[in-house]
């Protein structure tokens, strides 16, 4: 009996499984004819991870933050065409500054309701401010509230922010981050990170959470209490989790997904040939760079070890300056050499080859869509000029081995990148080829995340190829001031000068936008001259859509921001519950 | 019995301590600022301090031991939810996949072994060699081949997730279970088949079988009463050793098929240096191993005595 049961059991299981009811995962179903986009229907968006939290003040993931921006309201919405500069009404229908700009008054919508039916009032705004500034929570954005003294509520529909001084980013600071309900106040702030908020969500947005299946998907449904509920497009939005980009792309090609937020160049090429798909290229706030280490590699780590800094120590900007003076990098301390390296890299070729033109060469770490960006001609690919600069700096190939040298030291650089980022790996390999052509020998280091983070922040490499996703604030001081190099900070190359520090301080403390713009302009000119980083490109993003989905151009700040404005063609099987 | 419980508890405790030390020894920082230019070293340090990660290792271990003794498994850094909650969400999925795989692998493996046992010697050797090849093939390879054939080529079965987008009934869930179950059970069945076949061959030469043959029993009676029944005892022991898969999950299969089980979660936890979750999952797995072993030992003597009688 045992001998016959096993195969029979397996066959029966298989037969039952195949005969089981179908659903949207049936790849063999014939496509129904597409009708014009209209309200209703279901949109399926690929995601690569679960939300790590359900409040804006406990998440550490940008993908989760994007989702939470749909569920919780901000006072105003940033205009993607002019981020950080122009805003449109959202929870606040209007706002105004007092004459001395020390008070910012928001008039809230009277029809804004939380998903539990209670009205959204100034009490929620004030509560949110208290949470944001509570040290027990330790929200990283609390620094943006330092110049806000408090929030007053003269009426339930009016919120007044009091500032200690006037400065350009007041509206940005007041608007950072979304408003959460006063009802969350029954949980002590210190317990927020451990609280299972998904069991008790109270939201206010075009969508609310209908279902959350960890490791599988999050389903959003229209919130009928939202102030513009009639204008909402899809009935449901499913954020379907895939283990990796490749399997998500495969599902997209198969027609199981409506939206694929991000694809590689090869995937873009493939998707562009599929008649049922379309791809939109949008700018992003991300850029890729090579940070040059201006301090001798390992000198920083050795100095910290000498001062017993394994678990933090009293490191100061003076320590960094001391290292810059006493242990300059034998090759990269020279701005002329850094310029030569920049001129050796064909960044236009990188943009065309790796990004199919969907990226932008830049020489500034302030993103081109931000108000403070200074448009200046980018350094052109000029290997002849690069060779000349290297010759002048004394780097000459004396032994004919193809690599330049000086005083017996070869012009050899260890440049590292994170191995888990294929595009950056490709970029670095191309950069290495370009530099080799002018006599610079590059050792490409592809490091796992832990090793990369440890060594990059210890400044153990000669160069680090990495990227940042910037926000809409202009904050180069967080990356380039001497203070940003202290204690393994994000100033990866350890570069700074008194002039740069002074300009960064002027820009970050300016009381008017004009004053700030002057400082940032001067600083960007200095940056372009000194080239502590070779900025490679501002990258765009390809977003794939099924042709069933019709809507506005994707918002570069948050793809999910316009979910409610999408329209979906109706297909019977896709919309089946 | 008391001694067994004591040994079991000591084993679990040792596994937990080892996992704790290993997790902290591995490179990685759950709060690195690689992706966040706005996060400063100060932010990262404050977060570590708030979570007690700046304290000496011994102090951290003492806190963990105290928490565990109170039934608290801590909070996952990555998922920012209680570890017990994460385990409660993922364990049932791993258990479902594990049960389906075990219920498929064991009968299938035993059936294959029986089939090979009655085959002529040459065919038995070829079959055994094939079983060896399948049992040593990487699970990842088998998973990918199943996906390529049943999903992409035939379009019969879904390749990812535990359920369709719209939910669906039992049938829909079963369809999602087929491929991951097959990926797990095929190599397992091959291993069991080889193991069982070897036992069959050993039993055939046993004294009681020769005696039965001499007494005039037919081949089928010998096979069923004198070879098969005593041969199943070691397989039961194997089952006990395989039981932990119900809770430890199958990391590779869960990753390939986007199955929401504990294996995938643990892998992410280890890669992200999410110590509480990695430790919690390891401890649960250790408990399962101990229970599985105990169950296997407990079952074996009973079956043997029934076989003899």
């Amino acid at each position: 009996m045992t001998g016959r049961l096993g195969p029979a059991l397996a066959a029966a299981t298989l037969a039952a499984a195949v005969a089981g009811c179908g659903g949207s995962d049936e790849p063999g179903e014939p496509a129904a004819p597409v009708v014009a986009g209209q309200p209703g229907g279901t949109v399926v968006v690929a995601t690569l991870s679960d939300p790590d939290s359900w409040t804006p003040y406990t998440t550490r993931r940008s993908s989760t933050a994007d989702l939470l921006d749909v569920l919780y309201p901000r006072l105003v919405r940033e205009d993607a065409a002019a981020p950080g500069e122009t805003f449109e009404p959202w929870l606040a229908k209007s706002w105004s500054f007092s004459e001395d700009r020390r008070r910012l008054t928001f008039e809230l919508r009277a029809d804004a309701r939380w998903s539990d039916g209670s009205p959204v009032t100034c009490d929620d705004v004030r509560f949110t401010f208290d949470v944001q500034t509570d040290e027990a929570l330790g929200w990283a954005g609390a620094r943006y509230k330092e110049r806000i003294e408090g929030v007053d509520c003269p009426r339930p529909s009016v919120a007044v922010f009091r500032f200690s001084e006037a400065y350009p980013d007041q509206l940005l600071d007041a608007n950072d981050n979304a408003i959460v309900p006063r009802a969350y106040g029954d949980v002590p702030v210190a317990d927020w990170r451990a609280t299972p908020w998904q069991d008790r969500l109270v939201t206010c947005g075009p969508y609310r959470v209908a279902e959350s299946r960890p490791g599988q998907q999050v389903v959003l449904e229209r919130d009928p209490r939202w102030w513009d509920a009639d204008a909402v497009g899809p009935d449901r939005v499913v954020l379907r989790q895939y283990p990796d980009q490749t399997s998500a792309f495969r599902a997209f090609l198969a027609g199981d997904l409506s939206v694929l937020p991000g694809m590689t160049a090869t995937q873009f090429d493939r998707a562009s040939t599929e008649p049922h798909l379309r791809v939109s290229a949008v700018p992003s706030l991300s850029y890729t760079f090579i940070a040059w280490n201006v301090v001798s590699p390992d000198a920083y780590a050795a100095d910290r070890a000498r001062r017993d800094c394994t678990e933090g120590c009293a490191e100061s900007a003076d320590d960094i300056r001391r290292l810059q003076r006493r242990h300059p990098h034998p090759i990269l301390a020279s701005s002329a050499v850094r310029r030569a390296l920049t001129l050796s890299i064909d960044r236009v070729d990188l943009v065309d080859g790796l990004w199919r033109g969907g990226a932008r060469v830049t020489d500034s770490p302030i993103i081109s869509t931000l108000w403070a960006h200074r448009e200046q001609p980018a350094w052109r690919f000029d290997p002849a000029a690069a060779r000349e600069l290297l010759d002048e700096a004394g780097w000459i190939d004396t032994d004919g081995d193809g690599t330049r040298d000086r005083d017996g030291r070869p012009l050899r650089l260890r440049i590292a990148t994170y191995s888990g980022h294929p595009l950056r790996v490709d970029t670095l390999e191309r950069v290495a080829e370009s530099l080799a052509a002018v006599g610079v020998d590059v050792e490409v280091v592809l490091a796992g995340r832990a090793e990369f983070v440890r060594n990059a922040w210890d400044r153990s490499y000669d160069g680090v190829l990495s990227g940042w996703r910037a926000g809409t604030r202009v904050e180069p001081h967080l990356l380039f001031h001497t203070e940003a190099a202290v204690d393994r900070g994000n100033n990866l190359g350890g570069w700074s000068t008194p002039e740069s520090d002074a300009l960064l301080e002027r820009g970050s403390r300016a009381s008017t936008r004009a004053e700030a713009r002057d400082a940032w302009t001067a600083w960007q000119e200095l940056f372009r001259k000194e080239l502590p980083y070779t900025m490679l490109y501002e990258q765009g993003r390809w977003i794939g859509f099924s042709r069933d989905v019709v809507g506005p151009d994707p918002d570069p700040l948050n793809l999910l921001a316009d979910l409610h404005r999408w329209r979906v063609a109706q297909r019977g099987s896709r919309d089946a519950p | 019995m008391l001694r067994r419980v004591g040994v079991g508890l000591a084993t679990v405790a040792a596994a937990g301590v080892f996992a704790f030390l290993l997790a902290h020894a591995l490179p990685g920082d759950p709060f690195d600022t690689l992706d966040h230019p706005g996060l400063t070293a100060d932010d990262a340090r404050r977060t570590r301090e708030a979570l007690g990660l700046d304290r000496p290792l011994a102090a951290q271990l003492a806190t963990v031991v105290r928490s565990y003794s109170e039934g608290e498994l801590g909070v996952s850094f990555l998922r920012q939810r209680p570890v017990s909650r994460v385990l409660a969400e993922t364990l049932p999925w791993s258990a479902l996949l594990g049960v389906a795989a075990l219920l498929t692998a064991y009968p299938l493996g035993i059936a294959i072994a029986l089939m090979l046992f009655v085959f002529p010697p040459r065919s038995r050797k070829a079959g055994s060699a094939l079983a060896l090849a399948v049992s040593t093939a990487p699970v990842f390879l088998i998973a990918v081949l199943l996906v390529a054939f049943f999903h992409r080529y035939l379009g019969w079965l879904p390749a990812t997730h535990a359920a369709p987008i719209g939910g669906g009934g039992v049938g829909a869930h079963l369809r999602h279970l087929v491929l991951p179950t097959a990926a797990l059970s095929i190599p397992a069945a091959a291993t069991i088949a080889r193991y069982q076949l070897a036992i069959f061959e050993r039993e055939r030469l046993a004294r009681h079988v020769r005696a039965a043959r001499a007494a005039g029993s037919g081949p089928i009676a010998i096979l069923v009463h004198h070879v098969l029944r005593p041969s199943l005892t070691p397989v039961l022991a194997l089952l006990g050793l395989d039981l932990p898969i119900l809770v430890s999950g199958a990391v590779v299969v869960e990753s390939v098929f986007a199955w929401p089980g504990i294996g995938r979660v643990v892998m992410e936890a280890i890669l992200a240096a999410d110590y509480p979750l990695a430790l919690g999952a390891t401890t649960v797995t250790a408990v399962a191993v101990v229970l599985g072993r105990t169950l296997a030992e407990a079952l074996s003597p009973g079956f043997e005595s029934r076989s003899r009688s």
Side-chain angles (χ1 to χ4, degrees), chain B residues 185-206:
Chain B
S185 58
I186 287 171
T191 303
I192 292 163
R194 293 184 60 243
Y195 183 71
Q196 190 64 67
L197 180 63
I199 294 169
F200 284 161
E201 305 232 346
R202 188 193 68 196
E203 285 299 313
R204 179 171 51 187
L205 300 173

Side-chain angles (χ1 to χ4, degrees), chain B residues 82-143:
Chain B
V83 168
S84 53
R85 174 85 180 228
V86 177
L87 296 179
E89 286 164 359
T90 51
L91 278 172
W93 290 107
S94 286
L96 173 63
L97 180 57
V99 165
L102 290 176
L103 286 181
T104 307
Y106 275 82
L108 183 62
I110 294 168
I112 292 170
L114 258 181
M115 206 168 61
L116 291 177
F117 184 60
V118 301
F119 275 5
R122 193 176 276 180
S123 304
R124 191 184 312 147
K125 241 188 185 168
S128 195
L130 179 61
L132 174 64
V134 172
S135 70
T136 53
V139 168
F140 174 81
L141 178 63
I142 294 176

Side-chain angles (χ1 to χ4, degrees), chain A residues 216-256:
Chain A
Q216 296 288 282
Q217 62 190 29
V218 171
V219 180
L220 308 178
E221 64 183 8
R222 290 162 61 137
D223 186 347
R225 291 198 165 95
W226 191 56
W227 58 73
D228 207 6
D230 290 340
V232 173
D235 289 329
R236 290 192 319 159
V237 177
V238 179
L239 303 172
R240 186 93 159 144
Q241 193 187 130
Y242 288 84
D244 50 58
Q245 172 71 19
T246 305
S247 52
F249 182 67
R250 222 177 280 128
F252 180 59
L253 286 182
D256 293 337

Side-chain angles (χ1 to χ4, degrees), chain A residues 167-374:
Chain A
Y167 58 97
D169 285 343
Q170 286 170 275
L171 183 51
L172 263 180
D173 285 354
N175 194 44
D176 192 348
N177 197 304
I179 306 300
V180 292
R182 183 77 186 82
Y184 284 2
D186 59 338
V187 176
V189 168
D191 295 338
W192 272 41
R193 290 193 192 281
T195 300
W197 294 104
Q198 66 270 33
D199 298 337
R200 48 164 300 172
L201 281 176
V202 177
T203 59
C204 171
Y207 291 94
R208 61 188 178 190
V209 177
E211 174 192 282
S212 170
R213 280 193 256 153
Q216 296 288 282
Q217 62 190 29
V218 171
V219 180
L220 308 178
E221 64 183 8
R222 290 162 61 137
D223 186 347
R225 291 198 165 95
W226 191 56
W227 58 73
D228 207 6
D230 290 340
V232 173
D235 289 329
R236 290 192 319 159
V237 177
V238 179
L239 303 172
R240 186 93 159 144
Q241 193 187 130
Y242 288 84
D244 50 58
Q245 172 71 19
T246 305
S247 52
F249 182 67
R250 222 177 280 128
F252 180 59
L253 286 182
D256 293 337
L257 287 176
S258 313
V259 184
L260 179 63
M263 53 180 83
T264 65
T266 315
Q267 291 170 347
F268 164 77
D269 291 340
R270 176 73 204 277
S272 301
T273 64
E274 297 288 335
H276 66 292
L277 302 174
R278 64 182 173 89
V279 184
S280 286
V282 297
S284 75
L285 294 174
S286 302
Y287 59 86
T288 302
F289 57 84
I290 301 176
W292 300 116
N293 189 2
V294 301
V295 171
S296 189
D298 295 325
Y300 180 62
D303 191 62
R304 283 176 64 85
R306 188 180 54 76
R307 290 182 291 114
D308 196 19
C309 288
T310 338
E311 290 297 326
C313 60
E315 189 166 278
S316 72
D318 284 340
D319 292 312
I320 302 298
R321 291 183 192 112
R322 174 174 50 78
L323 280 168
Q324 290 169 345
R325 278 194 315 271
R326 292 190 192 167
H327 300 280
H329 194 290
I331 302 170
L332 296 167
S334 157
S335 63
V337 170
R338 296 195 299 266
R339 195 174 326 139
L341 298 176
T342 302
L343 294 174
S344 308
I345 300 169
D346 191 347
R347 295 179 287 169
V348 171
D349 180 61
L350 284 178
V351 161
D352 289 341
L354 296 176
W355 286 92
R356 309 293 190 265
R360 186 181 185 280
V361 173
T362 183
D363 274 325
S364 170
I366 297 177
I367 294 284
S368 58
T369 50
L370 296 181
W371 60 270
H373 173 79
R374 163 142 172 82

